[in-house]
Amino acid sequence: MKSTAEYDEVVVFGTRGNALLMLNEAELLWQGRVRVVAMVDELSNGHLHPVLGVPVLSRDERLKLYPDVPVLIMAGGIPLRKRIFHDLVAEGATIGNISTLGMEGVDKGTIFSHGTICGPRTRIGPNTRFGIGTLIEATLVGHDVTVGDFAVLSAECLVLSHIDIGAEVNIAPGAVIMNGTPQRPIRIGEGAVIGVGAVVLRDVPAGAKMIGNPAMPIRKWLKLQKMLDEM
């Protein structure tokens, strides 16, 4: 697997809203230093991008025209990001990272794995590690935090301290993962979904869908709502 956070030109995989939002954030870090030479869209290609004015290519065209240019994966959904990542690795592509090491508010020991994209507004504490293909737009990731492969930490969420986030977890905007302890970190199980504004106080099982404050499985909130309606 090849990856790099050092580049002057990139190809962006993704062409729509999420990709454009992330590119706007990346430009705060790049300051005009990095040029997007092309974008990749598997469904609609063969034209110029209406906003950036660069060619929109198929995967085969990317491989033919820009085989050595790093590729940033800026598609939004976790299953799609994961599939694109593994497809690009199989093609021998160099996966681009967006690393904020060296920026104010980011601990110098932070570990960014292959294909991680981290927004420049995220503050990160010590002893923090991000797995491959993660997308980090959180306001804060505190200390002693591990984030599993392909997890998404959305804008304005807060991940405090002593927390273990499993692979492919999706934490929605405004959610808060409260503090664990060194002896008992809070664990968010693989594939869990934490809803908008949810406040997580304890462990979350793998695959659970949590909402509310305090965060509970959706079915429990529905049961509680039914009880209130019947009062």
Side-chain angles (χ1 to χ4, degrees):
M1 182 187 304
K2 299 180 292 184
S3 69
T4 182
E6 299 295 329
Y7 41 77
D8 297 317
E9 294 183 334
V10 291
V11 172
V12 172
F13 207 118
T15 61
R16 298 178 177 84
N18 196 70
L20 295 177
L21 284 171
M22 287 190 284
L23 280 174
N24 286 338
E25 287 289 297
E27 186 54 39
L28 296 174
L29 179 64
W30 294 340
Q31 296 290 305
R33 178 181 60 82
V34 177
R35 184 171 72 96
V36 176
V37 296
M39 306 181 86
V40 178
D41 190 320
E42 295 177 304
L43 300 177
S44 177
N45 48 66
H47 56 271
L48 295 180
H49 192 274
V51 177
L52 300 183
V54 300
V56 179
L57 309 175
S58 67
R59 282 179 48 190
D60 289 342
E61 289 171 326
R62 193 282 312 169
L63 187 58
K64 179 180 178 181
L65 296 174
Y66 299 104
D68 299 320
V69 177
V71 182
L72 290 174
I73 303 171
M74 290 190 166
I78 290 174
L80 180 59
R81 289 175 58 79
K82 182 178 179 180
R83 178 180 63 78
I84 291 169
F85 182 94
H86 289 300
D87 286 349
L88 289 171
V89 169
E91 292 170 1
T94 298
I95 307 297
N97 307 341
I98 296 181
S99 166
T100 54
L101 281 176
M103 291 190 65
E104 184 177 354
V106 177
D107 186 81
K108 63 182 180 181
T110 301
I111 297 174
F112 294 103
S113 300
H114 305 296
T116 295
I117 292 180
C118 184
R121 304 178 196 270
T122 301
R123 291 178 294 148
I124 302 172
N127 298 321
T128 296
R129 180 189 185 281
F130 299 102
I132 64 172
T134 49
L135 174 58
I136 312 300
E137 298 178 285
T139 298
L140 171 68
V141 179
H143 62 83
D144 297 284
V145 175
T146 299
V147 180
D149 296 347
F150 302 105
V152 172
L153 276 56
S154 299
E156 299 186 6
C157 75
L158 302 174
V159 177
L160 300 185
S161 302
H162 299 293
I163 296 166
D164 184 359
I165 297 172
E168 301 179 46
V169 167
N170 192 343
I171 300 178
V176 180
I177 315 298
M178 297 298 288
N179 290 305
T181 67
Q183 296 77 25
R184 195 177 187 281
I186 285 185
R187 303 184 189 279
I188 311 297
E190 181 175 342
V193 177
I194 311 300
V196 174
V199 178
V200 175
L201 304 177
R202 55 180 62 88
D203 291 354
V204 174
K209 294 177 172 59
M210 310 290 284
I211 60 172
N213 179 7
M216 291 189 288
I218 292 175
R219 67 181 182 278
K220 288 190 176 181
W221 270 109
L222 293 176
K223 184 177 180 180
L224 178 61
Q225 185 64 55
K226 182 178 179 180
M227 292 172 60
L228 293 173
D229 290 344
E230 291 173 349
M231 290 178 64

